[in-house]
Amino acid sequence: MIFRKIKVYTILVLLFSFALPAFAVEEYISDIYKKIDQIFIIQSEDQLNTLLSDNNEDSNYYLIENYTEKKIRRLIVNNEYDFAMTAIIIVIENNLDNEQAVEMYSVIADAYKVQQEHEAELEYQRQLELARIEKEKEKQRVNVEKEYVAAKNTNSGKSVYVTGKETKLTSYRWKVALGLADFVYLHDNSSNINSLHYGPSLSFNYEYMLESKTIIGAELFAGVQPIGMAEEKSLVPLIGDIDVKLKLSPSLIPNLFITTGFGVVLSQKDANQKKTNLIVGTMYTPIVGIKYERISLGNVKVDLGAEWYAGHLFYDNINFAMGAEANAQIPFADLDKVSLNFNIGLRDKVLVKASGLENRASLILAIGAENVIK
């Protein structure tokens, strides 16, 4: 009985003595795992290298490596490739025979490259957006400077805008159009003339805005049609017109102009013209009119105008004369300081004569340019 108890106690002591090293191994490995957890939280390259190099001769080093690689996989899942790349290199440097770590390095390197390209694209898009926002801010700043008075500068160097301007910053606007095709249909009912003529034209418009928001300006139009396209062209070999006008737009009605100036209605005089009732030679006339400009139809800007030719008062055979015009401006290119556009214009001159009605209707196709208003 006593022998049996001694035998049982001996077996228990032996089992306990063998278990102590196992428990001891698990305990220090657990402490190392905790240190690895902390290292990956703070992502310390030096501490990780020190821990692995201090333990790479340990018989349980493979457990430390496996746990480190597990933490690296967690970084990859979270797309934290920077420290994942650093950590796997440290693992390889401390055990060059770790083939699994080498394979993991290859996978991380490929994924890291893809992520860097993606981040570079995101950064490029971010910079484009910042540039767009900055450009919008600059436009707003220019508008603020136009509308408000900068009272002083702060210590930071920024302007302080304290009150709205009672007047608008002065500015100017110009535009020019070259009529590559100016087709004029000449009709005279008393002489039964229906003649089509063709030639070039040129127009120029300049405006200046005063601080009171009143706009003053000038217009020039010149067109000549030396080429006839009908049987009656021999009766009217050359026609044309020239208008020089001043314009005024009060601040109460923007873009509505009162125009006044001087015009010339050309009609070449030759031996055959006495057979017709067309105006003889050239008609000189003062002009008084009204014009509404820059009517917005989407991107298209439309101008409309009508004029009275007071010169008919000085001609016995002309009872009344007037003109009308319309132009559609279609932009097709915006440069830094100049905007290019295509123009489709209509112009008409009506002369009510003692002998009948003379009408000169024209269609103008022109290429134009104007300054960019900032």
Side-chain angles (χ1 to χ4, degrees), residues 157-176:
K158 296 182 179 180
S159 298
V160 177
Y161 301 95
V162 296
T163 181
K165 288 184 178 180
E166 295 181 357
T167 57
K168 190 175 180 66
L169 183 69
T170 57
S171 61
Y172 66 92
R173 181 193 303 268
W174 61 262
K175 61 180 179 180
V176 61

Side-chain angles (χ1 to χ4, degrees), residues 142-207:
V142 171
N143 291 335
V144 168
E145 289 181 349
K146 288 182 178 181
E147 298 294 338
Y148 292 87
V149 177
K152 60 179 180 179
N153 289 331
T154 64
N155 293 332
S156 63
K158 296 182 179 180
S159 298
V160 177
Y161 301 95
V162 296
T163 181
K165 288 184 178 180
E166 295 181 357
T167 57
K168 190 175 180 66
L169 183 69
T170 57
S171 61
Y172 66 92
R173 181 193 303 268
W174 61 262
K175 61 180 179 180
V176 61
L178 175 62
L180 304 177
D182 185 353
F183 298 97
V184 177
Y185 176 69
L186 174 62
H187 169 72
D188 182 74
N189 59 359
S190 61
S191 302
N192 197 27
I193 290 179
N194 293 284
S195 178
L196 184 64
H197 295 256
Y198 166 80
S201 66
L202 177 68
S203 65
F204 180 75
N205 191 339
Y206 180 85
E207 298 173 8

